[in-house]
Amino acid sequence: MRILSRVCILLFSICLVLACDSLEDKKGRFLLKGNEKMKENDPKSAIGFYQEAIALDSTFADAYYNKGLAHLRFNQLEEAIGDFSKAIQINPEYFEAIFQRGLTYLDNGEFYKAREDAERLKNLDNKNWKSFFLAGLTEEKLKNYPESLNSFEKAIALAPDNSDLLVNQATILFYQKEFNKAKQILDRAEELNPEEPNLHNLRSMILFEEKEYSQALQAVEKAITLDNRQAYFYNNKGLYLLFTGELEEGLQLINQSIQMDPKNPYSLRNKGIYYVLKGDKISALQYLSELETKYPEMDLVKEYLQKAQDL
């Protein structure tokens, strides 16, 4: 009887081990299925599989993290932040989850929370370029340009072949009106990755500031060819067309940009400029007066508001 009892205990223990293995296998399979759906550009199904994995293990940090990435495909920022936060709660040193949450905070307008995540990343790993990249983006949003530039420079020192970092560095220099330095850095970025659309868009913005309108058009057209999903590329092209006298073509692109991103105030500014150039005082003031109140430092707003008032 004692031998039989021992055998039963042994069999029971084996069953427990197999059950645990089965649970790990099951949740792992759901995670992999979700990842496959993400590769197939089916984030809705992916979310379902990740949720199945979480139902099996509520402390499955990777499932929360991947579910957050899937929510980003739908621009569901609050949901994504919630999932990243859950993954971080489970694993406080989950670097990628903190990084993605910081980026999502930026997209959601929560700049100070993004700054906190940047500091957290630097404390976790100050040899990873992403720590300083997030810090640079955050300080840019807060208009702390010297601090932003310093962070991007540190990121570039850690990842000198990353063209995105160079473009961000050049962007800060553009904001500071250091156009020659910005152009030199864009040339370096283009050597690394000539297919980076943002570098061509930024170059177009510099050329516009230098009143090289035809060259600005060529540069932004290249950006659109490389990525036709960015509303601000169309908005910039529309602006440049206004300054080359192609008003209706410019307005068409500005309206297209507004349809793609109704929250971009630069599109509204450009529409106000269009009405100034058309001599429509009432419509011009409708756009530019409000912008002057909300964004008094925006380039061209004061100049064209004055022109509208003088019509």
Side-chain angles (χ1 to χ4, degrees), residues 140 167 170-171 174-175 177 179 182-183 186 197-213 215-221 223 232-233 235-237 239-240 266 269 299-300:
E140 176 188 345
V167 173
T171 299
F174 169 77
Y175 292 152
K177 308 293 185 183
F179 299 143
K183 286 191 289 186
L186 288 179
N198 287 304
L199 81 83
H200 298 289
N201 178 65
L202 181 57
R203 182 176 284 144
S204 80
M205 294 167 67
I206 295 170
L207 289 165
F208 175 77
E209 291 291 332
E210 295 175 337
K211 303 188 186 309
E212 299 288 350
Y213 302 134
Q215 292 182 48
L217 274 169
Q218 292 174 14
V220 79
E221 284 166 0
Y232 56 97
F233 292 175
N235 184 50
N236 284 347
K237 184 178 179 181
L239 175 66
Y240 308 157
Y266 287 92
R269 178 202 66 181
D299 287 344
L300 301 177

Side-chain angles (χ1 to χ4, degrees), residues 63-170:
Y64 283 108
Y65 171 72
N66 287 11
K67 189 157 79 79
L69 294 178
H71 279 299
L72 288 180
R73 294 281 187 93
F74 294 111
N75 200 36
Q76 295 171 333
L77 304 184
E78 295 289 348
E79 292 85 347
I81 289 169
D83 283 330
F84 295 141
S85 296
K86 187 65 177 178
I88 296 162
Q89 180 183 346
I90 296 165
N91 178 8
E93 297 186 355
Y94 200 148
F95 186 95
E96 288 299 323
I98 299 169
F99 178 66
Q100 290 295 336
R101 185 176 70 174
L103 293 176
T104 310
Y105 276 142
L106 287 178
D107 290 338
N108 207 37
E110 298 179 80
F111 304 147
Y112 289 100
K113 289 183 179 180
R115 178 190 267 175
E116 290 175 6
D117 277 347
E119 290 302 314
R120 191 167 179 171
L121 290 180
K122 285 189 280 187
N123 289 331
L124 277 176
D125 187 355
N126 65 2
K127 300 299 182 184
N128 192 316
W129 65 267
K130 291 182 179 179
S131 303
F132 296 99
F133 176 61
L134 179 59
L137 292 177
T138 301
E139 297 304 330
E140 176 188 345
K141 290 292 188 182
L142 293 169
K143 300 189 185 303
N144 297 325
Y145 296 141
E147 294 88 344
S148 176
L149 191 60
N150 182 55
S151 292
F152 286 134
E153 287 171 351
K154 289 180 179 178
I156 291 166
L158 293 167
D161 294 333
N162 188 319
S163 61
D164 289 340
L165 296 177
L166 292 170
V167 173
N168 279 280
Q169 182 187 27

Side-chain angles (χ1 to χ4, degrees), residues 232-277:
Y232 56 97
F233 292 175
Y234 295 100
N235 184 50
N236 284 347
K237 184 178 179 181
L239 175 66
Y240 308 157
L241 287 170
L242 296 184
F243 278 77
T244 58
E246 300 171 80
L247 300 186
E248 302 311 318
E249 294 86 344
L251 178 64
Q252 182 178 353
L253 287 169
I254 293 164
N255 284 335
Q256 180 179 343
S257 177
I258 291 171
Q259 289 177 348
M260 296 170 72
D261 180 10
K263 296 181 180 180
N264 182 5
Y266 287 92
S267 299
L268 303 178
R269 178 202 66 181
N270 293 350
K271 199 160 183 178
I273 292 172
Y274 164 82
Y275 285 118
V276 171
L277 296 175

